[in-house]
Amino acid sequence: MNHVVCIAYVPDTETKIKIGADGRSIDEADVKWIVSPYDEYALEEAIKAREAKGGTVTVVTYGPARADVGLRECLARGADEAVRIASDGLGEADSLGVAQALAGAIRALPCDVLWLGNKGVGTDAQTMVPMLAELLDLPHANLVTKLEWTDGGVVAYREIEGAREVVEMPLPCVVGAQKGLNEPRYSSLKGIMAAKKKTIAVKKPADVGVDPAATTGEKAAVRWTKLELPPARQAVKLIPADDPGKAADELVRLLRDEAKVL
Amino acid sequence: MSNVLVFIEQRDGKIRKASFEALTLGREVAAKTGGALGAVVAGSGIAGLAPELAAYGAAKVFVADKPELALYSCEGYTAALDAAVTAFAPAVVLVPATSMGKDVAPRLAARRKVGLLSDVMSLEVEGGRLVATRLVYSGKARATVTADPGASLQIATPRPNVFPASKGAAGAGEVVALDFAVTIRAKVVKMDVAETGEIDVAEADKIVSGGRGIKGPENWPVLKALCHELGAALGASRAAVDAGWIDHSHQVGQTGKVVSPTLYIACGISGAIQHMAGMGSSKVIVAINKDAEAPIFKVATYGIVGDMFQIVPALTEAVKKSKA
Ligand SMILES: Cc1cc2nc3c(=O)[nH]c(=O)nc-3n(C[C@H](O)[C@H](O)[C@H](O)COP(=O)(O)OP(=O)(O)OC[C@H]3O[C@@H](n4cnc5c(N)ncnc54)[C@H](O)[C@@H]3O)c2cc1C
Ligand SMILES: Cc1cc2nc3c(=O)[nH]c(=O)nc-3n(C[C@H](O)[C@H](O)[C@H](O)COP(=O)(O)OP(=O)(O)OC[C@H]3O[C@@H](n4cnc5c(N)ncnc54)[C@H](O)[C@@H]3O)c2cc1C
């Protein structure tokens, strides 16, 4: 059984965000980049399945050259192959543009299960799983916290508001990983050494059948026109706590009369 | 630009609150575009929902009523939405950014090869295009995003609890039955519903959350008593979830749920950036923490520096008293 895992290489959640000079992107100078945490759950589940049933695990990203570091990390954890669709020098792509490029690359790969994170940390669009499933004409389940294998398919447990949906689907299919699915492993020294020797297949968008002039920059279906720091919150109003009863009464009064939320 | 179509989410024949918010927003957008407001709802035995939607201004209600749509499936419900798009030819489609909406809207966007403004906190119409804002990078930045005005369709998913729901001038609510073929490969065979009476944090108007400061699962009753008085949902930090004190479905934050309640009370939570990514857009934030330096006080509206085991029970009493 063959697996493809989509990897987003994103700013570390701890990174301080500075707005770039153009006022619509981030200043990337001091940004530390990481493999998006949900993608680690996706990769782990794919590797576990390969260990149990054989096959290959290929990691794919759409991004600039720096993303090779993230792909190598995935190889070190146990992925067999890596593909990067190079976005170097291109304008920004929106989710649909990224999905079209990824779909182009994935069509050429052996794939029984396509794995993604449920959302890319930072941009948090949470759109890629259904978009890729649609472009590839596959069934999908997103926000999956538990997965079981059946004869020719999977049972996915999907977290929704106040309930859990149990989804049955046949292979090939798309799975979006949520926290809880597994505990991702660290890369071993042996894995790191082996990863160094592997080559990352770098493809141009044209190689996977997309024309960046039609899907990026001014032509992207969604444009970020401005990026700014969010408006600052008002300074906290501290309530003295010497007498818990009085403090509680005062808080209730403020919530009712000032904030008007009670 | 003209017609506006809103996807309505129902569970067990009951329309979810976020759908009324999206419908109200849709009515405002339609007033600006000069088009008609339509609603589409999928399920089984749901034809009776139309009058409720008309009260919010829906001129047309597209109904996909089939036994195989009784439980949600992305393929089935997207097919319903897609059929309504064909029938109503909207310029704008709004879908609440719930787990269902965030499943259906991107499938529609990919099918129609158009963009999607995801999880938006504000939405305007400017020169024939949708302009929205959304929070990115754990709430550390705000992006203004726009759809392509040349596209056949512009889609947005408004974040629940951010836009108000209000009835307006009643629409005609003309029911249009949708007829379409559907093949469902990913089938929801069962839905396990959480403990009865529990409100999910993602839908709650008020949330009381506990973190590592709760010290152990035996102390949840302290917070649950306050939840009960306020009609609030119980939330948790990742530290509390990872310690095994509570199920992940309660977790708020980057790797949990993103919430926007009117009131968020954080008890014994330090306010790590990944926690704030999930609750930073709450309208009023109360922090109860014994450490005056805890970062949660930087985002809080009101703060009490003290021991939560003294403050929270007092607060429960004070709320009870205020209602008497
Ligand atoms: C500086 C900057 C400018 C941007 N400008 C724009 C813009 O103008 N318009 C716009 O719409 N968006 C813009 N984006 C957002 C960017 O295009 C998003 O990364 C893209 O929309 C995918 O969104 P996501 O990661 O939030 O997807 P999600 O749907 O949240 O991601 C889910 C999963 O999809 C997979 N995935 C996501 N991205 C990739 C990838 N690149 N390669 C492989 N797998 C991936 C991962 O498995 C991930 O876990 C910008 C981003 C940055 C940093
Ligand atoms: C990739 C990534 C994703 C993450 N996602 C999430 C997420 O989704 N959600 C999340 O919450 N975290 C997330 N985290 C973890 C986050 O960084 C913090 O570790 C976590 O939020 C800390 O939880 P806490 O505030 O409960 O615990 P702590 O940081 O240990 O804080 C406990 C607080 O309780 C106070 N306290 C203790 N006793 C009392 C008392 N008796 N009365 C009053 N106050 C008391 C202390 O002063 C302290 O401020 C993520 C981290 C990473 C790296």
Side-chain angles (χ1 to χ4, degrees):
Chain A
M1 193 187 306
N2 298 306
H3 306 268
V4 175
V5 188
C6 292
I7 302 294
Y9 201 52
V10 302
D12 188 344
T13 46
E14 302 283 352
T15 283
K16 189 164 163 53
I17 294 297
K18 282 181 271 175
I19 308 297
D22 63 357
R24 48 182 297 272
S25 61
I26 56 168
D27 178 349
E28 297 186 352
D30 299 318
V31 170
K32 182 181 167 230
W33 301 88
I34 57 165
V35 169
S36 182
Y38 298 107
D39 301 356
E40 297 186 356
Y41 302 123
L43 177 63
E44 177 65 28
E45 204 68 8
I47 294 174
K48 269 173 37 189
R50 182 201 58 200
E51 285 169 350
K53 299 162 192 284
T56 59
V57 174
T58 306
V59 286
V60 185
T61 196
Y62 172 90
R66 63 162 176 262
D68 286 350
V69 181
L71 292 179
R72 242 176 243 293
E73 213 178 288
C74 297
L75 291 169
R77 286 183 194 218
D80 302 291
E81 318 260 345
V83 178
R84 176 169 65 88
I85 308 154
S87 70
D88 305 85
L90 302 177
E92 304 91 7
D94 73 325
S95 300
L96 182 66
V98 176
Q100 284 169 328
L102 291 172
I106 294 160
R107 278 190 199 103
L109 295 169
C111 181
D112 297 296
V113 185
L114 173 61
W115 304 86
L116 292 90
N118 79 78
K119 65 178 173 187
V121 157
T123 45
D124 293 340
Q126 206 169 71
T127 55
M128 205 62 84
V129 172
M131 277 188 178
L132 262 180
E134 178 68 21
L135 294 177
L136 295 167
D137 190 17
L138 296 175
H140 81 270
N142 202 7
L143 291 164
V144 174
T145 54
K146 184 177 153 195
L147 194 90
E148 289 160 1
W149 298 91
T150 57
D151 197 18
V154 297
V155 180
Y157 295 78
R158 159 180 152 83
E159 199 176 68
I160 62 164
E161 296 85 358
R164 199 167 71 156
E165 287 174 347
V166 185
V167 185
E168 284 181 10
M169 54 185 174
L171 302 182
C173 65
V174 184
V175 176
Q178 168 66 314
K179 176 174 179 261
L181 186 58
N182 53 47
E183 276 307 320
R185 71 193 67 191
Y186 294 104
S187 36
S188 63
L189 189 60
K190 190 164 148 251
I192 295 170
M193 298 314 287
K196 281 192 179 144
K197 296 202 195 84
K198 290 192 175 155
T199 41
I200 293 170
V202 178
K203 297 191 186 298
K204 292 200 179 62
D207 301 337
V208 296
V210 297
D211 172 13
T215 54
T216 64
E218 297 285 342
K219 289 291 165 62
V222 171
R223 295 270 293 152
W224 288 20
T225 54
K226 189 156 88 179
L227 195 66
E228 60 198 327
L229 298 177
R233 279 192 169 259
Q234 272 194 326
V236 61
K237 198 175 258 187
L238 284 179
I239 301 163
D242 328 344
D243 177 341
K246 277 200 189 125
D249 285 341
E250 174 63 2
L251 178 58
V252 168
R253 190 191 67 78
L254 288 167
L255 291 175
R256 191 186 52 214
D257 299 343
E258 188 179 82
K260 300 194 165 43
V261 292
L262 287 188
Chain B
M1 263 191 134
S2 65
N3 288 355
V4 178
L5 180 68
V6 180
F7 177 84
I8 302 298
E9 177 174 343
Q10 59 80 27
R11 202 187 282 174
D12 298 328
K14 208 171 163 290
I15 297 170
R16 314 288 284 181
K17 179 166 156 261
S19 296
F20 290 124
E21 296 165 7
L23 195 54
T24 306
L25 180 63
R27 190 175 73 226
E28 286 162 14
V29 172
K32 289 178 196 159
T33 60
L37 179 65
V40 51
V41 58
S44 179
I46 44 139
L49 296 176
E52 252 187 286
L53 300 170
Y56 283 80
K60 286 198 172 170
V61 179
F62 296 90
V63 178
D65 200 333
K66 292 173 186 276
E68 61 267 43
L69 299 178
L71 282 178
Y72 167 72
S73 70
C74 190
E75 290 161 290
Y77 282 37
T78 306
L81 175 56
D82 191 61
V85 168
T86 301
F88 196 51
V92 172
V93 171
L94 300 181
V95 183
T98 56
S99 353
M100 187 191 292
K102 285 173 132 189
D103 217 29
V104 167
R107 248 203 201 260
L108 178 74
R111 189 165 301 180
R112 299 268 171 170
K113 303 282 188 296
V114 297
L116 167 61
L117 306 178
S118 182
D119 203 17
V120 302
M121 309 274 298
S122 74
L123 189 70
E124 302 291 335
V125 183
E126 285 172 20
R129 67 164 75 189
L130 294 180
V131 178
T133 56
R134 56 191 309 270
L135 292 173
V136 290
Y137 302 111
S138 315
K140 286 180 281 191
R142 184 169 67 175
T144 302
V145 296
T146 65
D148 173 5
S152 59
L153 193 65
Q154 301 182 38
I155 310 176
T157 58
R159 179 180 284 192
N161 266 338
V162 169
F163 298 90
S166 68
K167 291 187 178 154
E174 180 199 337
V175 174
V176 183
L178 291 172
D179 189 25
F180 56 95
V182 49
T183 321
I184 300 169
R185 293 165 294 182
K187 286 195 182 72
V188 175
V189 292
K190 197 166 83 155
M191 198 159 72
D192 298 332
V193 180
E195 286 171 49
T196 45
E198 256 190 30
I199 314 169
D200 190 273
V201 286
E203 295 186 312
D205 184 48
K206 299 189 183 76
I207 296 172
V208 176
S209 269
R212 207 192 307 271
I214 186 97
K215 296 208 165 62
E218 65 281 7
N219 293 323
W220 288 119
V222 177
L223 296 192
K224 280 188 177 165
L226 180 57
C227 285
H228 180 74
E229 282 309 322
L230 288 170
L234 180 64
S237 74
R238 176 161 173 176
V241 172
D242 284 359
W245 299 344
I246 194 166
D247 187 71
H248 175 253
S249 59
H250 293 267
Q251 185 180 317
V252 171
Q254 189 100 64
T255 38
K257 285 173 179 156
V258 176
V259 301
S260 297
T262 50
L263 177 61
Y264 189 91
I265 305 184
C267 311
I269 293 179
S270 60
I273 186 72
Q274 298 91 354
H275 188 76
M276 292 201 295
M279 45 62 81
S281 65
S282 306
K283 281 172 205 84
V284 173
I285 297 169
V286 173
I288 300 171
N289 195 304
K290 66 178 184 190
D291 174 10
E293 301 298 315
I296 190 77
F297 288 113
K298 293 209 180 73
V299 298
T301 327
Y302 304 112
I304 301 182
V305 180
D307 180 358
M308 58 175 282
F309 294 107
Q310 291 182 2
I311 310 288
V312 175
L315 187 55
T316 307
E317 277 311 307
V319 174
K320 196 185 275 177
K321 235 175 18 192
S322 79
K323 290 197 295 193

